[in-house]
Amino acid sequence: MFVKKDLRKIPQILTDAASRAVAAPSSSDPANPEKGSSNDSDGGIIAEMRFARRAPEFLPSCTVSMLLEPQYKPALENLMQLSLYDCGLQTLAGIEQSDNDDYAAPLFPKLEQLDIGRNPKLTNDSLPDTFHTQFPQLDQLWLDNCSFGPNIPSTLLELHKLQVVRMTGNQLEGELEDGIGIRYWKELKVLALDGNRLSSVGRGIGKMKYLEKLHLRGNKLTSLPDGVPSVNNSSLTMLSLSSNQLTSLPTSLVEVTTLKELYLNGNQIEELPEGLADIMGFKKLNLAHNCIGKGRFNGVVTAGSQNSSANDAGDSIMEDVDEDNGNTTDNLLPRDFVQRFGMPEALTGNCTEDEECMVRMEGNPIAEAIRKRHLEAEKIKAKQMAMETAMETAMETEAIQ
């Protein structure tokens, strides 16, 4: 839905919101953000403010001090959604517990959604230690494309009501905090950590029973601990692990029968676990550009391989396929996988036997070998047809003469 931008300056918007809050008209409905955005003119309480892409208005301080002036406090008390996306912020100092009064009311007592993404100068040092105390109701936190890291700031882990956390494109590295899912963020439904430098995740992820979507694309994961994910992730429908360095998958993965989308493309996976085909809800399964079949071919078959070893490997795999009528099993693909999804098609590399879920397999040694053999067979057919045509032409010419 298109939302018209409020062209007023931020102080004007805050002044208007504060005056409405003080007046507290009976027609207002702060529980319904649709009736209280920052560009409403109905006189109701403003429950949503979108200050995205207003970096010039935050100069020269690059702080949120403008929002925290005392006269605007009534406006903040009624906010449920706040966007400070791409505002050139360098610090969030001031959004913290007062040193003089530990029992003071939080600045944002009703805020449920906070977006401070695309502020690349925000780091761990930009957050006060008591930042979390000012958002008792926060359930969605968007921090994409900032510079938080190498660990998740501890004050963010203390936001216990969070259901959505997005921290894609930050500076997180090493192991993801093991306490997530055990001590912290136990209510999460969406966790997005794409585009960081994480090398491993803690076992707590496998205990998050409300987690629905887990995004870990484009990190440096080489493996997942057994139990991540697991049967305890009883709500998980989407798992994205593409563009990492995974060489294998945990056996517990096949226990997550709620999965509908699984993205594993762009890794170094050589074998698939038995039982993957038992996840009946699959709608999308991407295994492209891995190393499936590499062990069978001694690692020599890749896209574009032209050497003799690759040729021999391609012949070998196709002999196995021919012998089993296309249902090859040992050292190639699990039998149950082939029975449900089929073998990779020669031209596309896709497995298409299951009408509900096409499996992408292009760029794997097994798919490349099948493609190569198919192309060779087509060349042979073309040569045979050319020879037959030439012979027929010669015979017709001879008959005329």
Side-chain angles (χ1 to χ4, degrees):
M1 182 179 68
F2 177 77
V3 178
K4 184 179 178 181
K5 182 178 180 179
D6 193 330
L7 298 179
R8 296 175 298 172
K9 297 298 185 181
I10 292 177
Q12 292 176 295
I13 296 173
L14 290 169
T15 299
D16 180 33
S19 63
R20 294 192 194 191
V22 172
S26 58
S27 61
S28 65
D29 184 5
N32 187 347
E34 296 297 326
K35 295 183 179 180
S37 63
S38 62
N39 55 6
D40 277 350
S41 57
D42 61 2
I45 288 178
I46 295 178
E48 178 178 357
M49 291 185 182
R50 303 184 185 96
F51 296 147
R53 299 184 178 91
R54 290 176 177 252
E57 295 187 57
F58 288 88
L59 293 174
S61 67
C62 299
T63 71
V64 293
S65 58
M66 172 173 48
L67 275 63
L68 305 180
E69 293 182 14
Q71 66 269 30
Y72 302 143
K73 190 174 187 298
L76 305 184
E77 291 175 345
N78 289 287
L79 278 182
M80 299 181 71
Q81 299 179 30
L82 174 63
S83 174
L84 296 171
Y85 177 86
D86 193 14
C87 285
L89 300 177
Q90 297 183 16
T91 179
L92 297 177
I95 304 180
E96 55 194 307
Q97 185 171 290
S98 172
D99 292 335
N100 300 324
D101 188 354
D102 293 343
Y103 300 99
L107 293 169
F108 300 89
K110 298 179 181 179
L111 198 72
E112 297 177 354
Q113 300 178 27
L114 175 63
D115 184 354
I116 51 176
R118 202 172 181 181
N119 285 287
K121 293 187 178 181
L122 287 181
T123 67
N124 286 23
D125 293 334
S126 302
L127 294 176
D129 292 340
T130 57
F131 179 82
H132 62 282
T133 63
Q134 304 307 297
F135 305 95
Q137 302 300 323
L138 197 67
D139 61 26
Q140 294 191 32
L141 179 61
W142 297 58
L143 302 168
D144 299 308
N145 301 307
C146 295
S147 296
F148 294 109
N151 302 310
I152 295 175
S154 57
T155 187
L156 299 183
L157 294 173
E158 296 294 338
L159 291 164
H160 296 302
K161 290 192 176 183
L162 287 177
Q163 296 183 18
V164 176
V165 172
R166 293 191 56 88
M167 295 188 71
T168 66
N170 276 270
Q171 305 294 325
L172 303 177
E173 58 185 56
E175 180 178 354
L176 183 66
E177 280 74 4
D178 196 52
I180 293 177
I182 300 175
R183 180 179 176 185
Y184 310 115
W185 294 356
K186 294 186 290 185
E187 309 296 318
L188 274 191
K189 294 181 178 180
V190 178
L191 178 58
L193 300 172
D194 296 338
N196 284 281
R197 296 192 293 271
L198 295 170
S199 58
S200 61
V201 298
R203 294 181 182 274
I205 296 292
K207 300 181 183 298
M208 302 175 75
K209 62 181 180 179
Y210 302 111
L211 189 64
E212 298 174 2
K213 296 182 179 181
L214 178 58
H215 303 258
L216 291 168
R217 178 177 60 88
N219 279 279
K220 295 186 176 182
L221 301 174
T222 57
S223 64
L224 294 175
D226 198 40
V228 177
S230 77
V231 67
N232 294 318
N233 299 123
S234 55
S235 301
L236 191 64
T237 59
M238 197 285 293
L239 175 59
S240 176
L241 294 164
S242 57
S243 302
N244 278 282
Q245 301 167 20
L246 297 172
T247 58
S248 62
L249 298 171
T251 57
S252 59
L253 173 64
V254 301
E255 301 173 356
V256 189
T257 57
T258 54
L259 273 177
K260 295 182 179 179
E261 301 177 39
L262 178 58
Y263 302 94
L264 296 167
N265 47 300
N267 281 282
Q268 301 170 27
I269 298 167
E270 297 185 20
E271 295 183 1
L272 300 179
E274 294 281 350
L276 190 63
D278 293 336
I279 302 177
M280 301 309 297
F282 273 140
K283 299 296 182 183
K284 295 181 180 180
L285 178 54
N286 194 336
L287 300 169
H289 301 288
N290 275 280
C291 300
I292 299 170
K294 175 181 176 180
R296 179 68 175 83
F297 310 134
N298 297 319
V300 297
V301 178
T302 57
S305 292
Q306 300 295 329
N307 57 45
S308 60
S309 297
N311 294 341
D312 294 342
D315 293 341
S316 176
I317 174 59
M318 289 313 300
E319 289 171 5
D320 288 343
V321 172
D322 292 340
E323 289 174 3
D324 283 346
N325 295 318
N327 292 322
T328 184
T329 55
D330 295 340
N331 300 320
L332 299 175
L333 292 171
R335 180 177 294 274
D336 60 346
F337 182 94
V338 176
Q339 288 176 339
R340 176 177 173 185
F341 300 112
M343 290 291 291
E345 293 182 348
L347 296 181
T348 65
N350 298 329
C351 303
T352 59
E353 285 295 315
D354 188 329
E355 295 181 355
E356 298 295 324
C357 179
M358 180 187 72
V359 182
R360 294 187 58 180
M361 290 280 290
E362 74 269 20
N364 283 281
I366 184 173
E368 294 302 315
I370 293 173
R371 182 181 67 87
K372 174 182 172 293
R373 180 62 178 267
H374 171 78
L375 294 177
E376 290 177 349
E378 291 297 308
K379 288 180 181 179
I380 293 173
K381 287 181 182 179
K383 288 181 179 180
Q384 290 176 340
M385 290 180 65
M387 291 176 63
E388 291 174 359
T389 300
M391 290 179 64
E392 291 176 357
T393 302
M395 292 176 65
E396 291 174 356
T397 301
E398 186 176 318
I400 293 173
Q401 294 176 349

